[in-house]
Amino acid sequence: MTILDEILQYNDSFVQEKQYEQYQTTKYPDKHIVILSCMDTRLIELLPKAMNLKNGDAKIIKSAGAMIAHPFGGIMRSVLVAIYELQADEVYIIGHYDCGMSSVNVDRVVHNMIDRGIDENTFKMLKYSGIDLEDWLRGFDNVTESVTESVDAVRNHPLMVKNVPVHGLVADPDTGKLDVIINGYDHI
């Protein structure tokens, strides 16, 4: 049985038994917050519990390293839609210690891509098209600095109003302890 088969089999009983009823809510976050956090598996349940969040409390956006890599990319678009369309009034950028993005080796990633079937000529084409793969795949050396950069990217975005608090925090992926790096209330 494949993982997809397992998921679909479970989903069938989940729906038939109406287990979804305990999770029903609206598309608007009850606590009026949007969170950008890392996609790290240790944070899936830990971070919401550590923040006393339940289903429906927040919009949660996941990305590698909780980084805003491009001011007009999908992550920033999601933050702006949450603010202007989905009733979020605050932004939380939450990185975490021991993040995989702090040790990304671009050469190793490219090597793994080639091993899995990406043609080496693709990388030449990207380079000649002006794509800096090293910059695009890069991680960070310091999670605190990375969170600060992402907070600055949101706070200083030309489409972001200045009265929205943008907080920066770093979580311990083992305990859920949150360290405040930037208190967004101090900047509005």
Side-chain angles (χ1 to χ4, degrees):
M1 180 180 286
T2 68
I3 294 173
L4 176 60
D5 291 334
E6 290 175 14
I7 289 170
L8 294 175
Q9 183 179 18
Y10 178 84
N11 179 257
D12 187 48
S13 64
F14 180 86
V15 172
Q16 284 183 14
E17 296 168 12
K18 297 185 178 185
Q19 294 179 44
Y20 56 84
E21 289 178 347
Q22 64 182 320
Y23 303 106
Q24 290 180 326
T25 185
T26 72
K27 64 182 177 180
Y28 303 106
D30 293 335
K31 291 191 177 183
H32 300 278
I33 63 175
V34 57
I35 298 168
L36 170 59
S37 74
C38 185
M39 63 183 189
D40 191 294
T41 55
R42 296 171 290 179
L43 302 180
I44 290 173
E45 291 188 48
L46 177 66
L47 186 60
K49 291 290 185 193
M51 296 179 72
N52 192 30
L53 298 175
K54 64 182 185 342
N55 195 52
D57 280 347
K59 291 293 182 187
I60 299 178
I61 304 164
K62 298 277 193 174
S63 76
M67 297 169 60
I68 298 186
H70 191 282
F72 291 94
I75 301 299
M76 192 63 216
R77 179 183 59 231
S78 296
V79 170
L80 292 170
V81 168
I83 296 293
Y84 293 113
E85 188 65 19
L86 300 173
Q87 301 177 3
D89 297 325
E90 297 186 25
V91 179
Y92 290 74
I93 310 291
I94 306 176
H96 67 93
Y97 300 109
D98 189 34
C99 182
M101 287 302 287
S102 67
S103 61
V104 168
N105 179 311
V106 174
D107 292 333
R108 185 174 58 232
V109 172
V110 169
H111 177 75
N112 290 338
M113 289 175 176
I114 293 168
D115 282 352
R116 293 187 71 171
I118 301 298
D119 188 306
E120 290 187 49
N121 289 323
T122 302
F123 300 103
K124 291 177 186 173
M125 179 197 61
L126 291 170
K127 181 180 179 182
Y128 296 131
S129 298
I131 305 298
D132 182 345
L133 201 58
E134 175 116 3
D135 184 57
W136 186 66
L137 289 173
R138 75 168 168 75
F140 51 80
D141 294 323
N142 181 305
V143 67
T144 301
E145 290 174 10
S146 178
V147 167
T148 300
E149 288 173 13
S150 289
V151 166
D152 288 345
V154 173
R155 187 184 313 135
N156 297 312
H157 195 279
L159 299 176
M160 178 60 74
V161 292
K162 301 302 179 202
N163 65 344
V164 172
V166 183
H167 309 285
L169 299 97
V170 178
D172 182 312
D174 296 319
T175 66
K177 182 181 183 318
L178 296 170
D179 294 329
V180 177
I181 306 305
I182 296 171
N183 182 332
Y185 299 127
D186 294 340
H187 298 275
I188 56 171

